Structure formats: C-alpha cells, structure tokens
Amino acid sequence: MLLGVNIDHIAILRQARMVNDPDLLEAAFIVAKFGDQITLHIREDRRHAQDFDLKNLIHFCKSPINLECAINEEILNLALKLKPSRVTLVPEKREELTTEGGLNLNHPDLKKSIQRLKNENIEVSLFINPKLNDVEKSYELNADFVELHTGLYANLHNALFTNISHTAFALKELQIDRKKLQIHLEEELEELKLCAKKGVELGLKVAAGHGLNYKNVQEIAKINEICELNIGQSIIARSVFVGLKKAILEMKALVQ
C-alpha cells in the first residue's frame, strides 16, 4: 500500500503570515524522498496552495503529483496545462473547513471534465462516498481511480477511542451510546471493504483518505483492495513534534 502525503497544511501555515516560510517545495522534497506521492489541493479561493505551487512541484519533484480540485474550469485548465500525474476531483464549498463528503456524481460537467483530462493522459480519480452505487457510477463515468471518503469512519473511531467527546471538537450527532457507536463503526468499515472489493472487480484502482491518523489507519490499511492512502493533517501535525521525515516514516510503518 502506497502513502500519498497531502502538504496543504504546510501551505496553510505559510499563508497565515504571507511569507515563503515554511517553504512548500522544501516539504515536497522530503515527501518525495520518504513518501510515495505528493498530494496537493488547489481550492477555488486559493486559501492555501497556489497555482505556482503546483507548477513548482511538477517542475522540480520526481514523485507523482496528485492534484485535488473541484470541477472548476480555471483549475482544470491549469491541470491540463501543467499535467500532474493524477487529478482527483473532489466536492468543494467555500465555507467548509475541509471536504465534507463525496463528489456529486451527477454533476453536469463531470463526464466532460473526466474525458478532457484523460485525453491529455492524466489519470483521473473521483473522491466518493463509500457507497456501492457510487463505485459503479464511477466506473460508468470512465474514471481510473476512486478514493473512498473515510471521514465518517474516522469520526466514529475518534468518538469511541479518544476523549474528543469531552472537548469543544465533539460532534453532536456522535454523542450517542457507545454500543451504537461501535455498531456504526463496524458497519462503516464493512461498507469501505465492500466498496474497495467492488472497485477492484470493476477494474478500478482504489485509494482511501480523509481523517486518517496514527490511531485509526491500521484497520483501513488491512483492506487488501486499497492500494493507496492519502493522508495530510495528521502527518503534518505530528511533524511539529518529531519532524516531517519521522512523521512520514511512522505513518508508512503503520500502513505497511
């Protein structure tokens, strides 16, 4: 199983002071050496990663570059011009802190966007909810990859096995009986397994990501059909204490 490291959170820190420190390219060199893929999300509002970041990564890094973006004409044109290894199409809302769910597979411009990218030999992944219908629809749309959204799994795991329910970060909808949480967690994990299996049966490559961290990643890493995990926030947060190289290697050890 490969590890893609999302470096958006380094860009967030840089943009907080509007100086080139920390340097995203320096981080990318570390990821290129110790990870398997560099993942970068360019948002419509450019709140963290910028267009020049993608250009620099493609120009200077040997590792595969996975660009996450919405179905947005301006950013898709940027991708077509710079040609990252892969484009992962994701949903996006301006007011959200982070991606909240899977892609709307009935978006009127989705099929055309996929074909435009594939015409330029750019691999296309769709960030989807772990639902069998979404896997099947992704195959019908001629995607190469699906990335299963693990956000609900991660939230359930946190609610069960951390003290988050006693903090300001608790999710009201998960403040329920622990037995029910356990059942929901098992159901969500089973759904991820079924979707991964279905994806491989259809000939899709299957990745997963969102909310994965050092405590919850191993159950996902056990799903044989998943070939890649994309993880960002937890690795960058860990790197504050141990350094980026060690944070990546610790996650790789858990994943592999």
Side-chain angles (χ1 to χ4, degrees):
M1 186 175 290
L2 302 179
L3 176 63
V5 180
N6 189 317
I7 57 176
D8 294 347
H9 294 275
I10 295 173
I12 290 172
L13 185 57
R14 178 193 67 189
Q15 296 301 111
R17 293 293 295 271
M18 296 302 290
V19 293
N20 197 31
D21 188 18
D23 188 335
L24 205 66
L25 193 56
E26 184 176 354
F29 290 152
I30 297 172
V31 173
K33 188 171 183 179
F34 300 105
D36 301 303
Q37 174 176 272
I38 299 167
T39 297
L40 186 77
H41 185 174
I42 297 184
R43 284 181 167 269
E44 294 177 3
D45 60 8
R46 308 304 199 272
R47 71 174 70 163
H48 40 63
Q50 307 297 309
D51 296 14
F52 68 80
D53 290 317
L54 179 63
K55 183 177 181 179
N56 284 342
L57 294 183
I58 292 173
H59 184 73
F60 292 109
C61 294
K62 293 181 179 179
S63 285
I65 308 298
N66 172 30
L67 170 66
E68 296 180 343
C69 68
I71 304 170
N72 172 278
E73 186 72 13
E74 182 183 3
I75 302 177
L76 287 173
N77 284 338
L78 179 69
L80 290 166
K81 177 182 177 182
L82 298 178
K83 294 183 173 54
S85 306
R86 186 190 312 157
V87 169
T88 298
L89 295 172
V90 302
E92 187 174 308
K93 293 188 293 185
R94 290 291 176 90
E95 66 273 16
E96 69 186 3
L97 290 175
T98 184
T99 308
E100 295 172 347
L103 192 64
N104 171 17
L105 299 180
N106 294 312
H107 191 292
D109 294 327
L110 178 56
K111 189 169 185 177
K112 179 181 71 174
S113 299
I114 293 171
Q115 195 56 53
R116 287 179 67 197
L117 293 164
K118 289 175 71 74
N119 286 345
E120 296 298 324
N121 295 315
I122 299 171
E123 190 173 49
V124 179
S125 179
L126 304 181
F127 188 68
I128 64 171
N129 290 315
K131 302 296 180 186
L132 289 174
N133 287 343
D134 283 14
V135 177
E136 292 167 353
K137 180 69 172 178
S138 299
Y139 169 74
E140 293 170 6
L141 287 164
N142 201 28
D144 303 297
F145 244 100
V146 289
E147 181 167 346
L148 302 177
H149 186 294
T150 53
L152 178 55
Y153 161 82
N155 288 338
L156 287 164
H157 194 282
N158 285 343
L160 266 171
F161 300 113
T162 76
N163 74 334
I164 197 169
S165 62
H166 302 292
T167 73
F169 308 109
L171 297 175
K172 290 182 179 179
E173 62 269 26
L174 297 184
Q175 292 179 331
I176 58 177
D177 180 78
R178 288 184 61 81
K179 289 183 179 178
K180 290 182 179 179
L181 281 174
Q182 184 67 49
I183 291 170
H184 290 329
L185 178 66
E186 292 171 0
E187 289 175 343
E188 188 66 11
L189 187 58
E190 185 61 26
E191 197 75 25
L192 286 160
K193 291 176 181 178
L194 289 172
C195 287
K197 184 176 181 181
K198 184 65 173 180
V200 170
E201 287 175 353
L202 291 172
L204 294 165
K205 288 175 276 189
V206 181
H210 200 80
L212 297 178
N213 60 37
Y214 295 85
K215 294 180 180 178
N216 63 32
V217 72
Q218 285 188 295
E219 288 303 313
I220 303 300
K222 290 177 183 176
I223 302 174
N224 291 330
E225 290 83 2
I226 294 176
C227 66
E228 170 191 300
L229 299 180
N230 285 295
I231 304 175
Q233 196 271 340
S234 64
I235 292 176
I236 304 308
R238 177 71 175 151
S239 74
V240 172
F241 303 105
V242 303
L244 186 54
K245 172 185 173 180
K246 187 173 182 182
I248 293 170
L249 292 177
E250 286 179 353
M251 182 60 79
K252 285 201 75 170
L254 290 171
V255 166
Q256 295 177 354

